[in-house]
């Protein structure tokens, strides 16, 4: 009986940690998306602040480019399907303009955008 109660508590805890891609009532947003509502809740002034406060891991290096090129790889910033460039470009995007920010990891970005996006893409979508 005690084992069953512990197992039930464990399953309940796991299910409360899961994320969904939805947006329906009671659903939490995906870990790959920052919504305008989340940005407003934390009071971010720009896209960089929002990412830093809500998904700091998106700003980290994805390792060296190669053994021949030891420079670090970082995600590339896009604004409404247009490449802006390096992460510091996020400072230029006012939080008031943002509908959502999406992270596209390298496994998804490379087939869609090309090899140069192996560190992923931070895609800011405006209103």
């Amino acid at each position: 009986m005690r084992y069953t109660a512990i197992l039930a508590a464990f399953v309940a805890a796991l299910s409360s940690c899961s994320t969904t891609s939805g947006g329906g009532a009671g659903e939490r947003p995906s870990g790959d998306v920052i919504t305008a509502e989340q940005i407003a809740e934390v009071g971010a002034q720009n896209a960089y602040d929002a990412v830093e406060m809500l998904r700091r891991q998106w700003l980290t290096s994805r390792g060296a480019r190669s053994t021949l090129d030891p420079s670090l790889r970082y995600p590339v910033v896009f604004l409404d399907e247009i490449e802006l460039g390096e992460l510091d470009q996020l400072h230029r995007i006012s939080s008031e303009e943002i509908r959502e920010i999406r992270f596209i990891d390298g496994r998804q970005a490379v087939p869609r955008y090309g090899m140069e996006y192996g560190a992923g893409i931070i895609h800011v979508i405006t209103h």
Side-chain angles (χ1 to χ4, degrees), residues 7 25 39-40 47 53 56 61 72 78 82 89 91 94 97 120:
L7 182 60
I39 294 168
M53 289 184 224
R56 180 180 290 268
S61 165
L72 299 177
F78 274 66
I82 298 170
Q89 295 297 316
H91 289 287
S94 170
E97 300 173 46

Side-chain angles (χ1 to χ4, degrees), residues 27-117:
E27 292 181 355
R28 294 189 324 191
S30 166
D32 292 339
V33 177
I34 298 173
T35 65
E37 293 79 18
Q38 291 172 310
I39 294 168
E41 284 176 14
V42 298
Q45 298 298 309
N46 57 55
Y48 190 94
D49 291 346
V51 172
E52 186 174 47
M53 289 184 224
L54 296 165
R55 304 288 192 288
R56 180 180 290 268
Q57 69 275 15
W58 294 1
L59 301 173
T60 60
S61 165
R62 302 306 190 261
R65 294 183 187 279
S66 71
T67 55
L68 299 175
D69 181 1
S71 61
L72 299 177
R73 299 177 311 141
Y74 290 91
V76 176
V77 175
F78 274 66
L79 176 64
D80 296 325
E81 297 292 332
I82 298 170
E83 181 179 338
L84 291 185
E86 297 182 4
L87 293 175
D88 65 337
Q89 295 297 316
L90 292 169
H91 289 287
R92 298 177 48 201
I93 306 168
S94 170
S95 61
E96 295 173 0
E97 300 173 46
I98 301 170
R99 186 174 77 210
E100 67 182 28
I101 306 172
R102 293 187 166 273
F103 182 76
I104 304 168
D105 72 20
R107 292 178 308 234
Q108 297 170 330
V110 167
R112 182 173 175 189
Y113 295 94
M115 290 298 296
E116 61 271 28
Y117 303 103

Side-chain angles (χ1 to χ4, degrees), residues 7-21:
L7 182 60
F10 180 72
V11 169
L14 279 179
S15 66
S16 71
C17 292
S18 68
T19 60
T20 67
S21 61

